[in-house]
Amino acid sequence: MEVEYSGDVMTLNMGPQHPSTHGVLRLELKTDGEIVAAAIPHIGYLHRCFEKHVENVDYAGVVPYTDRMDYCAAMNMELGYVLAVEKLMGIEVNNRVRCIRIVMAELGRIASHLIAAGTYGNDIGSFTPFLWCFRDRERILDMFEETCGARLLYNYNWIGGLMFDIKPGFEDKLIEFLDYFEPQVDNLNRLLSDNWIFIKRTAEVGILSPETAISYGVTGPNLRGSGVKFDVRRDEPYLGYDEFDFEIPVGQGEYGPVGSCWDRYMVRIREVKESCKIIRQAVAKLTPGDVHESIPKRIKPPAGEIYMRTECPRGELGYYIVSDGGLKPYRLKVKSPCFTVMSAFEEVSRGAMISDVIAILGSFDIVLGEIDR
Amino acid sequence: MQSIAELLGLLPGYSSIPETYRALIPVVVSCVVIFACMALAVLFAVWLERKVSAHIQDRLGPMYVGGWHGWAQTLADAVKLLLKEDIVPASADKLLFKVAPFVVFLGAFAAFVVIPFGASSFVADLNIGLLYVFAVGSLSVIGIIMAGWASNNKYSLYGGMRAAAQIISYEIPSAIAIMTVVIPVGSLSLVEIVNAQQGGIQNWFIFRYPPLVFLGFIIYFIASLAEVNRTPFDIPEAESELVAGYHTEYSGMRFAFFFLAEYANMFLVASVATALFLGGWTWFVPESVVPQFIPGPVLFFGKVLALVFVQMWLRWSLPRLRVDQLMYLSWKVLLPASLALVLGVGWVTVYW
């Protein structure tokens, strides 16, 4: 978008301590009044040397570190890693582990999307959706806590299996939660998604065209918000996702051009409902079994390399592992979905207003822990 | 004020005070009374807002301080704010920084002087009462700009500029919308306006010339939300964009003054709306049917609280508009609509 400027340009540093940068992100805004000529993101405030660090940790010890990348969806982070190592070692897990992993991953997706929707409402100026979402997220965290003892960083998916089996009665609780939760999504839509002001604020700003999205390598809900039907769960199935019946929601541009902030937001809301469907199917497929059955005594993958990608709530999460046949990874590289979408931020937000910059950033749903690693 | 003067007359030795000073005493006393009442009302409103927001959000809100539903939470907060260190940023314009909260506060509280809480419960009945309310109310804009400029912080500056643009824009539709009441009455005195609504709910101006004055009330209410910077028009202090807007750098008691002023302003616009459109202190039904058994000031306060509740309800339900959408709403929707209403009411008053 071409914008004409008059007068002086003022630099406004938004962050790293700012309520709406979703972590320690610094945005350097070149502003002309309320118009933002350029929004330059500066990342790296949360860099913890993850990739170098794990070269000195054995394979099983990496799992807790993966939790700490995207702390809003730790379950999905560790799932991608253990699948990569299992693929490298050629481990096949039994049906019970597979179904529980899917249940946990989809619960993690719901929990993460609830944060995304709630904080997005907060970014747009509505505080109530935030607390409604957190109220429902609490129940998911309670179920996680019951299963593995942790509420944020689980270390639940182990290479070749799971830390614990689910507790007796967990399935009933799960179904009870889904029965309670699915109407709550409609309530959230009534409160926020279909609100006239909310649509006015988000439906015509932050247009990420499908071409731009693909050229920047954007994945996940942000890509689907632009109308591109791509989901690793469907296009490159892992864990047997192809046996499940679910839709891939894409942005349809109901209230404006396709690829707007509202589309990206709405894709997440619709995905939550699809996740509920997947969980119900996975619970039905649950068979008895031993979740520790295929955990190897010694995790020593053969020399070689592997790339495994999974669909985490924020997009395609890839683990590239190089093994020299030792007990520790020779090299581990993470393909982060938030990092790629952050690179498109500058182009999308050019010429927007200050309020729009916040709306765009919120709709990308970034987690700085994963960008900086 | 007359009743206060009579009460004071009962004090021993009151008549021995020289005439010149004696005339001043009721004024001062009634101002103090109004101030104390409004300060209490504001404390109550802060507590109410927390409870209302909590219940909208499926929470409980304050429950411990003071025992019953956390009634003393606001008091505890006020004490905390009083005890906090008074921080003035090193690069701030010291004088303006210190004065700004008081200007905002003054603008909010001074306007209550002409609000008629009951048939005889008001400090002054100015013949230009409404004009005075708007004039004094505009003082707070100056204070907000002072705060935004003096803080020497870019977020504060943005907040100050946004507030100035917004409040000045929205004063126009709100001032024109109240003309729908002023034209039929033919007076700017709030007491006379309320007196014109005596005799039951059907005489309240909100139901006069339906739906003309009702629409005027709606426009006034929307514009007043913008004037007091409440959601969906809270862009000057938009937390997710501007941190805290013009009071980003303020802490302790100076922040509390902004905070109190915000709530006092909520009460002010609700009081004006009550006096103009909802019959002020007057009773719902004609006296001949059911005599008024609730004192006028209580009734007035009840109506004000109902409006304040609606303000809170909106705040916790709606997202925030963007700056340009806000200006669009003011200049292209509310202003033409209010002008048309004034024409309509004028026509009806003269030819009907």
Side-chain angles (χ1 to χ4, degrees):
Chain A
M1 200 192 313
E2 280 302 310
V3 191
E4 284 181 24
Y5 306 107
S6 57
D8 298 331
V9 170
M10 182 171 93
T11 305
L12 181 68
N13 265 314
M14 196 172 262
Q17 271 79 42
H18 185 276
S20 288
T21 49
H22 293 246
V24 278
L25 169 70
R26 178 176 146 229
L27 292 176
E28 189 186 340
L29 303 182
K30 305 280 183 202
T31 57
D32 175 16
E34 289 277 346
I35 309 280
V36 176
I40 305 153
H42 294 268
I43 60 171
Y45 288 89
L46 209 56
H47 183 56
R48 290 154 298 175
C49 259
F50 167 74
E51 287 173 8
K52 191 68 192 164
H53 196 162
V54 298
E55 289 170 16
N56 297 301
V57 182
D58 60 8
Y59 281 95
V62 176
V63 178
Y65 288 104
T66 61
D67 281 340
R68 282 153 179 80
M69 288 203 304
D70 182 351
Y71 36 79
C72 293
M75 220 33 123
N76 307 65
M77 291 286 121
E78 55 191 44
L79 179 64
Y81 171 74
V82 299
L83 286 178
V85 179
E86 282 170 15
K87 201 171 162 189
L88 190 61
M89 295 177 71
I91 299 172
E92 287 287 324
V93 295
N94 61 27
N95 182 55
R96 186 172 184 82
V97 173
R98 194 173 65 92
C99 288
I100 295 176
R101 276 183 179 173
I102 286 181
V103 166
M104 292 303 171
E106 296 306 319
L107 279 179
R109 191 182 313 279
I110 295 174
S112 168
H113 282 346
L114 281 177
I115 293 189
T119 51
Y120 195 47
N122 208 2
D123 287 345
I124 301 299
S126 184
F127 198 66
T128 302
F130 178 71
L131 283 151
W132 281 22
C133 289
F134 267 68
R135 174 196 63 193
D136 298 339
R137 185 174 178 269
E138 273 309 285
R139 298 181 62 143
I140 298 179
L141 296 191
D142 286 345
M143 285 192 283
F144 283 159
E145 188 183 9
E146 180 195 307
T147 311
C148 64
R151 295 171 65 82
L152 188 68
L153 308 164
Y154 312 105
N155 190 16
Y156 180 63
N157 287 297
W158 280 1
I159 295 165
L162 299 167
M163 188 188 201
F164 298 117
D165 200 349
I166 50 173
K167 299 283 176 288
F170 182 83
E171 295 99 317
D172 300 335
K173 265 189 193 165
L174 202 56
I175 299 299
E176 191 191 326
F177 165 74
L178 293 178
D179 290 340
Y180 153 84
F181 176 65
E182 276 166 329
Q184 293 295 338
V185 179
D186 301 326
N187 275 344
L188 182 68
N189 283 341
R190 273 200 289 278
L191 178 71
L192 186 67
S193 319
D194 299 334
N195 184 295
W196 184 81
I197 297 175
F198 183 73
I199 291 169
K200 280 277 161 198
R201 277 293 308 277
T202 55
E204 279 167 13
V205 301
I207 311 296
L208 179 67
S209 67
E211 298 78 34
T212 320
I214 290 170
S215 69
Y216 276 99
V218 174
T219 53
N222 297 322
L223 178 68
R224 292 193 285 277
S226 301
V228 182
K229 207 165 186 167
F230 176 79
D231 190 317
V232 181
R233 286 177 296 174
R234 193 201 56 165
D235 294 319
E236 205 182 297
Y238 53 95
L239 279 178
Y241 263 112
D242 43 349
E243 296 163 23
F244 289 84
D245 170 36
F246 63 100
E247 298 287 317
I248 313 287
V250 290
Q252 289 148 5
E254 284 98 327
Y255 298 105
V258 178
S260 63
C261 293
W262 193 84
D263 282 339
R264 285 192 285 275
Y265 161 84
M266 208 56 202
V267 161
R268 293 196 178 90
I269 299 288
R270 290 175 181 142
E271 266 185 33
V272 162
K273 289 207 144 186
E274 298 303 319
S275 292
C276 292
K277 265 164 68 179
I278 297 175
I279 293 173
R280 281 183 198 277
Q281 293 171 41
V283 171
K285 284 184 183 174
L286 212 54
T287 48
D290 180 10
V291 295
H292 296 145
E293 193 177 67
S294 45
I295 295 180
K297 290 280 175 292
R298 192 152 181 253
I299 301 164
K300 197 175 176 188
E305 56 179 28
I306 193 83
Y307 182 75
M308 177 71 203
R309 53 181 184 172
T310 56
E311 183 76 19
C312 87
R314 286 170 182 76
E316 177 194 316
L317 174 79
Y319 283 95
Y320 175 64
I321 303 175
V322 180
S323 160
D324 57 357
L327 291 169
K328 298 167 185 168
Y330 178 74
R331 174 83 171 94
L332 193 153
K333 172 85 182 78
V334 179
K335 188 256 167 207
S336 147
C338 296
F339 181 79
T340 48
V341 78
M342 204 63 225
S343 60
F345 176 74
E346 201 176 331
E347 181 165 332
V348 174
S349 61
R350 196 173 298 141
M353 302 181 85
I354 292 180
S355 320
D356 292 343
V357 168
I358 297 297
I360 294 166
L361 190 68
S363 75
F364 280 166
D365 183 28
I366 51 162
V367 165
L368 267 295
E370 192 205 310
I371 293 182
D372 296 340
R373 297 193 292 279
Chain B
M1 202 165 85
Q2 274 70 32
S3 47
I4 287 177
E6 282 162 23
L7 278 177
L8 287 171
L10 299 174
L11 289 174
Y14 183 72
S15 51
S16 59
I17 300 169
E19 189 73 29
T20 21
Y21 300 123
R22 215 192 309 169
L24 275 176
I25 291 172
V27 178
V28 174
V29 169
S30 46
C31 282
V32 168
V33 168
I34 289 282
F35 181 80
C37 288
M38 287 329 294
L40 274 180
V42 164
L43 283 181
F44 173 69
V46 174
W47 174 83
L48 185 70
E49 170 117 55
R50 298 182 118 181
K51 290 309 253 188
V52 167
S53 70
H55 285 278
I56 287 177
Q57 292 164 353
D58 220 345
R59 302 183 282 125
L60 288 173
M63 286 300 283
Y64 295 102
V65 185
W68 185 80
H69 287 266
W71 66 271
Q73 183 68 51
T74 333
L75 283 178
D77 287 347
V79 170
K80 183 204 81 172
L81 286 170
L82 273 170
L83 294 176
K84 275 180 89 167
E85 187 189 350
D86 178 28
I87 299 171
V88 179
S91 55
D93 186 329
K94 302 269 183 319
L95 179 66
L96 287 184
F97 187 86
K98 287 175 179 167
V99 169
F102 300 108
V103 177
V104 176
F105 189 70
L106 178 81
F109 273 80
F112 282 106
V113 168
V114 293
I115 301 289
F117 296 97
S120 57
S121 323
F122 48 85
V123 180
D125 175 21
L126 299 181
N127 55 354
I128 50 157
L130 267 178
L131 202 60
Y132 170 82
V133 169
F134 274 84
V136 177
S138 305
L139 268 183
S140 50
V141 190
I142 300 172
I144 287 173
I145 297 181
M146 278 162 76
W149 173 257
S151 301
N152 199 4
N153 175 318
K154 286 170 182 173
Y155 289 113
S156 303
L157 187 60
Y158 267 111
M161 294 306 292
R162 282 182 176 191
Q166 170 179 337
I167 296 175
I168 291 170
S169 303
Y170 274 85
E171 256 173 15
I172 299 165
S174 83
I176 294 177
I178 61 165
M179 288 302 137
T180 54
V181 168
V182 173
I183 290 172
V185 179
S187 166
L188 285 167
S189 155
L190 281 158
V191 178
E192 271 185 46
I193 290 173
V194 175
N195 277 329
Q197 303 176 68
Q198 295 277 13
I201 198 165
Q202 75 281 0
N203 284 353
W204 293 1
F205 276 120
I206 193 169
F207 300 116
R208 184 75 64 92
Y209 314 136
L212 290 180
V213 185
F214 180 74
L215 289 176
F217 169 72
I218 298 291
I219 290 176
Y220 174 78
F221 191 73
I222 294 174
S224 70
L225 279 180
E227 269 183 76
V228 298
N229 301 335
R230 299 283 295 183
T231 313
F233 307 109
D234 62 339
I235 60 161
E237 46 197 271
E239 194 222 342
S240 54
E241 296 153 28
L242 299 184
V243 189
Y246 53 84
H247 56 64
T248 305
E249 295 286 353
Y250 283 87
S251 62
M253 208 49 213
R254 293 186 202 283
F255 165 75
F257 270 106
F258 281 117
F259 198 66
L260 289 177
E262 182 188 332
Y263 281 85
N265 263 323
M266 278 167 68
F267 269 103
L268 176 65
V269 294
S271 303
V272 172
T274 303
L276 292 182
F277 298 99
L278 299 181
W281 69 81
T282 63
W283 186 229
F284 294 94
V285 285
E287 292 277 338
S288 51
V289 182
V290 182
Q292 178 169 354
F293 55 84
I294 299 175
V298 176
L299 202 55
F300 187 91
F301 195 68
K303 292 174 184 176
V304 169
L305 265 190
L307 286 181
V308 167
F309 173 76
V310 176
Q311 291 179 351
M312 293 175 179
W313 185 9
L314 289 175
R315 170 165 179 189
W316 297 105
S317 309
L318 294 178
R320 181 190 309 121
L321 283 168
R322 206 171 54 206
V323 187
D324 56 328
Q325 292 164 344
L326 184 93
M327 289 297 152
Y328 180 92
L329 185 66
S330 170
W331 293 100
K332 293 197 171 168
V333 179
L334 294 185
L335 185 60
S338 55
L339 281 172
L341 278 182
V342 168
L343 278 180
V345 170
W347 189 84
V348 170
T349 315
V350 175
Y351 295 107
W352 215 354

